Amino acid sequence: MAEIHTNRWYTNFGPLNERFETEMAMFLEQTGSAKLGTGTFSSATTALELMLRAKRLGEGAKVLIPVLTFPATALSVLNASYKPVFADVDKESWLLTPEIARKAHSKEPLDAVVPVATYGKPLDGEAWLEFQKETGVHVFWDAAAVLGQQKIPQGITAVFSLHATKPFGVGEGGLVATNDLETLDRARSLSNFGFIGPAGVVQQTGTNAKFGEYYAAVGLQQIARWPEVIERRKNVADAYWRELKKLGNRIELQAGCGDDFIPATLQIYAKDLGKQIFDALAAAGIQTRRWYLPLLHEHPALKDITFVGNENVEEAIPVSLELAEGLVGLPFHAFLSDEDIIEICNVVAEVVS
Ligand SMILES: Cc1ncc(COP(=O)(O)O)c(C=O)c1O
């Protein structure tokens, strides 16, 4: 903070923002990604919208998105003047996979696909890269909740959220990682009204979606704190698994959850019992969230978006419809105690037994 005031530079791509972008590129490399360019934005929503716009897919271009996601995925596509198309997710991983996208592309040719790192589960870099090479469909990852655990190969563009609710939170912010530097430069210009060059001349109709120096300062601290943050979250996850395992197959978790990755938000799935668990926990004074629900097609503002191949709802998204009846997001943050977790899991056990 002192440095910001000494610099007298508060936003507009200041020195802390530059340092944060450089350090984030190093952080991504250290956590398994390729050497990539990085760029900050005011949010993941604006970052995704502006990267999509900057890619110049053409008005009305078709962009495949999962129906099980946070509404911002669809909003970014709509705000970029493209046409989102809904797809289902995989039964085990709860992700829109390359296999699902391949089938969708054969039914209805696509221009781009935005797979989501659902609930903070990392996406498969090699498989998506292969999909992109094979089909020529552009892949933009909505990796909002998975910063720190996602490996990004050369050739894939990923968008992360730095929102306060994310494990790597700074307050508000979005981060793009990509080797498509031309598109990133155009998106960055769009985030600054569309100015290109120093003269303040609008070359494309942009907006204001920049990341200020205060957030960059917090971001630099978050990089330093990350090992501690992830360690705490791992301990909470381990305590949960100890309790949830006692429930056997009465509840299911997203494939690999707790073993291969630590989720951003912890969903449990109990067939048809989502609402009952939600109500029982509420009665016990424990707040839960049904993250990503309702499914996107149920939001009034998104009701006109069609499913792949214009199929009807039941045919198009059977897995998401089933998941929607059984998903509940349990409290999950770095400061939960073992006692809290036991109390929460005891309430869940009563409903599912
Ligand atoms: C899957 C997904 N996409 C996009 C966003 C939007 O991120 P932001 O709040 O940084 O715009 C979120 C935020 O919760 C999200 O979960």
Side-chain angles (χ1 to χ4, degrees):
M1 292 295 163
E3 211 177 313
I4 295 171
H5 296 298
T6 307
N7 292 337
R8 296 262 186 267
W9 194 340
Y10 300 94
T11 185
N12 289 3
F13 312 115
L16 269 78
N17 181 66
E18 197 177 319
R19 203 155 92 211
F20 179 61
E21 287 177 346
T22 306
E23 290 199 16
M24 284 312 292
M26 281 158 48
F27 172 85
L28 290 174
E29 246 189 285
Q30 281 156 11
T31 46
S33 292
K35 210 175 180 58
L36 298 166
T38 50
T40 55
F41 292 82
S42 57
S43 68
T45 309
T46 55
L48 184 56
E49 172 193 332
L50 298 181
M51 282 303 287
L52 286 166
R53 267 191 69 188
K55 193 69 189 171
R56 297 179 173 164
L57 298 172
E59 200 160 322
K62 283 189 188 166
V63 182
L64 191 72
I65 61 170
V67 77
L68 177 71
T69 180
F70 187 70
T73 315
L75 299 176
S76 301
V77 176
L78 289 168
N79 291 343
S81 299
Y82 301 146
K83 185 178 181 308
V85 183
F86 286 143
D88 206 0
V89 294
D90 172 70
K91 202 170 166 52
E92 267 77 46
S93 65
W94 309 350
L95 302 173
L96 192 179
T97 59
E99 293 70 41
I100 293 173
R102 223 173 249 117
K103 266 193 209 143
H105 186 52
S106 69
K107 283 186 194 161
E108 186 170 349
L110 302 165
D111 298 288
V113 53
V114 181
V116 174
T118 313
Y119 304 134
K121 179 175 169 68
L123 292 156
D124 183 338
E126 291 313 310
W128 277 112
L129 205 55
E130 205 181 304
F131 168 87
Q132 187 171 246
K133 276 188 193 147
E134 184 189 304
T135 60
V137 174
H138 299 287
V139 177
F140 292 83
W141 282 350
D142 179 343
V146 73
L147 183 53
Q149 298 187 77
Q150 178 67 63
K151 296 178 176 134
I152 315 160
Q154 290 277 354
I156 295 280
T157 292
V159 176
F160 298 106
S161 172
L162 307 173
H163 188 263
T165 53
K166 301 294 178 288
F168 198 114
V170 309
E172 290 279 7
L175 184 85
V176 171
T178 186
N179 68 345
D180 184 355
L181 300 184
E182 210 182 300
T183 304
L184 179 57
D185 275 357
R186 272 204 300 269
R188 190 198 277 276
S189 153
L190 285 169
S191 80
N192 191 29
F193 310 99
F195 293 150
I196 292 176
V201 175
V202 171
Q203 303 280 2
Q204 40 176 3
T205 53
T207 182
N208 183 356
K210 298 185 296 283
F211 187 69
E213 290 289 273
Y214 291 106
Y215 285 135
V218 179
L220 287 163
Q221 294 302 309
Q222 276 298 54
I223 297 174
R225 281 182 72 233
W226 184 247
E228 182 195 325
V229 172
I230 202 74
E231 179 65 23
R232 276 175 175 275
R233 295 181 74 87
K234 189 178 174 342
N235 290 340
V236 171
D238 287 346
Y240 257 119
W241 309 154
R242 277 198 298 278
E243 292 308 309
L244 291 174
K245 272 185 190 145
K246 295 179 190 163
L247 303 179
N249 58 9
R250 285 171 289 165
I251 61 138
E252 287 170 40
L253 296 172
Q254 195 174 12
C257 184
D259 297 324
D260 305 339
F261 70 99
I262 300 159
T265 57
L266 172 61
Q267 321 307 302
I268 57 168
Y269 172 75
K271 192 172 165 51
D272 298 329
L273 292 176
K275 177 83 172 65
Q276 276 101 308
I277 296 173
F278 182 91
D279 289 344
L281 286 164
I286 298 167
Q287 198 184 53
T288 52
R289 293 287 171 83
R290 306 198 70 200
W291 298 106
Y292 298 176
L293 297 175
L295 297 170
L296 290 196
H297 71 288
E298 289 174 334
H299 290 265
L302 306 176
K303 69 177 183 347
D304 295 333
I305 300 176
T306 55
F307 298 94
V308 172
N310 274 318
E311 285 174 336
N312 65 39
V313 181
E314 283 77 21
E315 263 179 88
I317 54 161
V319 175
S320 301
L321 290 173
E322 202 177 330
L323 285 174
E325 296 305 313
L327 284 174
V328 188
L330 301 183
F332 191 72
H333 58 78
F335 302 97
L336 278 172
S337 68
D338 286 3
E339 292 72 40
D340 292 332
I341 291 167
I342 291 168
E343 189 184 333
I344 295 161
C345 292
N346 283 343
V347 177
V348 175
E350 272 175 36
V351 180
V352 299
S353 55

